[in-house]
Amino acid sequence: MFSFLLPNDLKYLEGKILRSLLKVLTFSFLGLILFIPSALADNTANRIAGKNRYDTAVQASKKGWSTASTAVIVGGGAYADAISAAPFAYQKNAPLLLTNANNLSSETKSRLKELKTKTVYIIGGTSTVSYTVENQIKSLGITVKRIVGKNRYDTAAKVAKSMPSTSKAIVANGFLYAEPIAIIPYAAKNGYPILFTNNSTLNSYTADALKSKGIKQTYVIGGNGSINSTLYKRLPSPIRIGGVNRYDISVNIAKKLTLNTSNTYVSNGYSYADSIAGAALAAKQNKAIILTNGENLSKEPRAFIGNKNIKNFSVVGGTSSVTSKVMTQLKNPAVGKTIFIDPGHGDQDPGAIGNGLQEKDVNLDIAKRLNSKLNSAGAIPVMSRSNDTFYSLEERVKKGANANVDLFISIHANSYTSSSQGTETYYDKTYQSANSQRLAELVQPRVVSAFGTRDRGVKTAGFYVIKYSKMPSVLIETAFITNSSDASKLKSVTLKDKAAKGINDAVSAYYR
Ligand SMILES: [Zn+2]
């Protein structure tokens, strides 16, 4: 490329320059490739799963340990034992593995060999981990120690006594497996044992463990329905962490104890084996674990994820436990973001009228489609109206502010002369000007492409709802009701659905 500038005797030098130039270019190009995806990326969600619960625990252990001289083993159906075992396992730097009661599960057996384990602690009685299993472990050349009590309370108390001294403990209802899951990483890291009660009485084993360990403060997991107020008051300086459901409790634990959410573990609130395996790994990695419905990301974790702006997830459990829909929701950069949808006009105010259409109906139709798409994509949509009701512009702005929404999207259709046509998106410069403009520039081409309308561009105007909303806001004029070609597009269910999808995609792109 420089040869015409260089005399022949400089060819050698030229080659050298070219080579270094190519090197620089190659490296800057590689840099560009490496840089762009991290700046414009979806969230990450990786799955940790095995063929069954034993294998899932094995897979989780692989993320935390390459070798482990000590391992802890519990019965695959013994959730209370597994929960009390988790902080103990952490203290021993031991992976927590599961077994079938009557035969050492093959996955667990191979894993013990891989880990070069020398000592196994079995937590629980012979009904959950039989003598046969104990002997199978011993035959691998491993020393076996068993910690067991007369019942789940006693076993947890004995595990507590095997842990280093501490002044704090966790108290949970021993029959509600989901409630203490999220506190496992915190309990583990701090060396706090997890002790059990029923709803109303302090059993002697737990009472004794609290006393003999000199526990001065307790974290009590669950509401009055889990541990009632009489029992609560009998516990040492209790701090209650409850919630409206298991998902909410998990989120409240993460919030209250400000657990590390830089990579958050997620599991199904009804699959305790997966959750406990996940919690043990989350403990090892000093991260939070939250619970969800496996079919659809639950409301409470959604809001938590949105507020904390969590971008990276490890999902524990197979597709039957946490579906690929939930994985997709977690990967959406707009997951948990609260999006206000404002279908313009309503009731006595029809908005533009023409070609057999009333604007209020068209706006509501597109808004409802957007609502359902945002919802299934993992965001939290809030509508100013979901039926043919009139609200003033002030009320709409106030609703958005009260719901503390992240984005405000007002949906309208245009009217003018019959020859005016096309799509335009407005933003206002009063608040969040740059972000509003960015959102408008993401929305506009997607709505244009959905409807196949003329692109009238992104514009500024002081429309009330976008002028007074303090969050990033846009107002979309989808098409002209007064133009017959545009109106026919606004009548098409397919195109309205495409437009809603376009806006939903723009919201994801905004957070990407
Ligand atoms: Zn309008």
Side-chain angles (χ1 to χ4, degrees):
M1 64 198 281
F2 296 141
S3 57
F4 66 97
L5 293 173
L6 295 165
N8 282 341
D9 56 351
L10 285 179
K11 278 284 182 195
Y12 168 73
L13 188 58
E14 178 205 1
K16 261 188 114 170
I17 291 171
L18 268 174
R19 273 194 296 277
S20 1
L21 190 65
L22 273 173
K23 253 189 199 166
V24 169
L25 281 174
T26 308
F27 279 105
S28 10
F29 186 59
L30 277 176
L32 211 61
I33 291 173
L34 292 173
F35 174 73
I36 288 174
S38 66
L40 292 172
D42 281 347
N43 296 347
T44 67
N46 68 291
R47 190 190 285 278
I48 300 166
K51 295 187 290 289
N52 52 43
R53 61 181 59 191
Y54 314 113
D55 194 23
T56 296
V58 162
Q59 298 309 321
S61 78
K62 286 183 181 172
K63 302 282 178 187
W65 291 263
S66 50
T67 60
S69 62
T70 304
V72 172
I73 292 190
V74 298
Y79 62 82
D81 294 345
I83 289 165
S84 61
F88 172 80
Y90 178 91
Q91 294 293 316
K92 298 273 182 199
N93 192 19
L96 182 61
L97 300 171
L98 306 176
T99 182
N100 180 291
N102 300 313
N103 188 26
L104 181 61
S105 304
S106 58
E107 299 84 357
T108 306
K109 186 178 175 180
S110 344
R111 186 62 183 143
L112 286 172
K113 289 181 196 163
E114 275 172 15
L115 286 165
K116 300 186 168 62
T117 299
K118 300 275 181 291
T119 307
V120 159
Y121 285 87
I122 294 173
I123 312 293
T126 51
S127 65
T128 59
V129 183
S130 65
Y131 286 124
T132 311
V133 172
E134 192 176 324
N135 288 328
Q136 286 171 323
I137 299 170
K138 282 178 183 163
S139 74
L140 300 171
I142 293 171
T143 305
V144 176
K145 298 174 182 178
R146 189 188 285 266
I147 301 177
V148 58
K150 293 185 182 69
N151 52 40
R152 63 187 65 199
Y153 308 131
D154 192 19
T155 297
K158 288 203 160 71
V159 170
K161 287 175 187 171
S162 311
M163 287 172 63
S165 66
T166 172
S167 61
K168 296 185 186 184
I170 315 299
V171 178
N173 185 313
F175 298 87
L176 301 172
Y177 60 81
E179 297 195 343
I181 296 288
I183 205 161
I184 286 174
Y186 182 78
K189 187 182 64 175
N190 292 295
Y192 304 158
I194 300 178
L195 298 165
F196 296 120
T197 65
N198 63 9
N199 169 253
S200 54
T201 53
L202 188 58
N203 63 80
S204 60
Y205 309 106
T206 299
D208 178 59
L210 289 170
K211 199 174 164 196
S212 67
K213 286 195 75 86
I215 299 297
K216 304 219 164 16
Q217 184 160 65
T218 48
Y219 289 99
V220 179
I221 310 305
N224 280 315
S226 308
I227 291 182
N228 75 16
S229 56
T230 313
L231 171 53
Y232 177 78
K233 285 176 199 144
R234 289 186 63 192
L235 297 168
S237 307
I239 298 169
R240 192 190 282 282
I241 309 180
V244 297
N245 55 38
R246 59 190 65 202
Y247 314 125
D248 198 29
I249 292 174
S250 75
V251 159
N252 287 339
I253 288 169
K255 263 189 222 167
K256 180 130 191 166
L257 303 172
T258 57
L259 302 186
N260 184 337
T261 53
S262 62
N263 179 76
T264 296
Y265 283 77
V266 178
S267 77
N268 182 326
Y270 290 86
S271 308
Y272 62 80
D274 295 343
S275 300
I276 295 167
L281 179 58
K284 167 83 174 169
Q285 299 186 338
N286 191 23
K287 306 293 183 202
I289 180 165
I290 55 177
L291 303 180
T292 180
N293 177 301
E295 301 285 327
N296 186 21
L297 190 59
S298 309
K299 191 174 81 183
E300 300 81 8
R302 243 182 230 221
F304 178 69
I305 289 166
N307 289 337
K308 288 269 181 186
N309 216 21
I310 306 172
K311 296 283 182 196
N312 304 298
F313 305 91
S314 291
V315 171
V316 186
T319 49
S320 62
S321 167
V322 177
T323 56
S324 49
K325 175 179 176 174
V326 172
M327 292 294 278
T328 307
Q329 291 173 326
L330 292 170
K331 285 178 189 165
N332 180 1
V335 61
K337 298 298 179 190
T338 310
I339 314 298
F340 197 72
I341 311 169
D342 173 40
H345 315 280
D347 197 15
Q348 76 271 17
D349 167 21
I353 297 178
N355 293 298
L357 287 174
Q358 297 198 80
E359 188 197 341
K360 63 174 185 176
D361 302 327
V362 173
N363 298 343
L364 183 59
D365 186 331
I366 296 170
K368 279 182 171 174
R369 291 170 193 281
L370 176 58
N371 182 69
S372 115
K373 288 181 198 305
L374 283 166
N375 197 20
S376 69
I380 306 174
V382 177
M383 296 179 80
S384 62
R385 67 179 178 99
S386 52
N387 52 34
D388 190 15
T389 309
F390 176 80
Y391 292 102
S392 70
L393 300 176
E394 292 90 329
E395 284 173 304
R396 292 165 196 254
V397 168
K398 200 175 283 175
K399 279 186 176 205
N402 290 345
N404 203 15
V405 300
D406 295 302
L407 298 178
F408 189 112
I409 299 173
S410 193
I411 297 173
H412 285 256
N414 228 333
S415 76
Y416 198 53
T417 62
S418 63
S419 60
S420 305
Q421 57 179 310
T423 300
E424 52 201 28
T425 304
Y426 289 90
Y427 72 96
D428 179 79
K429 292 186 172 177
T430 311
Y431 299 108
Q432 295 276 351
S433 178
N435 285 331
S436 298
Q437 180 179 2
R438 192 160 67 80
L439 179 59
E441 283 167 357
L442 291 165
V443 164
Q444 171 69 12
R446 288 171 173 83
V447 176
V448 165
S449 126
F451 278 122
T453 36
R454 180 180 298 171
D455 186 355
R456 299 171 67 95
V458 165
K459 302 175 176 180
T460 57
F463 294 128
Y464 191 95
V465 292
I466 55 172
K467 179 164 184 184
Y468 293 100
S469 290
K470 294 187 178 174
M471 67 292 302
S473 60
V474 295
L475 185 147
I476 309 164
E477 294 282 7
T478 48
F480 281 74
I481 267 187
T482 41
N483 174 271
S484 62
S485 162
D486 272 18
S488 72
K489 289 168 179 168
L490 291 174
K491 284 175 190 168
S492 160
V493 166
T494 312
L495 296 187
K496 281 184 283 194
D497 206 63
K498 268 192 182 174
K501 183 184 179 295
I503 301 167
N504 177 49
D505 291 347
V507 169
S508 294
Y510 178 86
Y511 288 105
R512 192 165 283 138

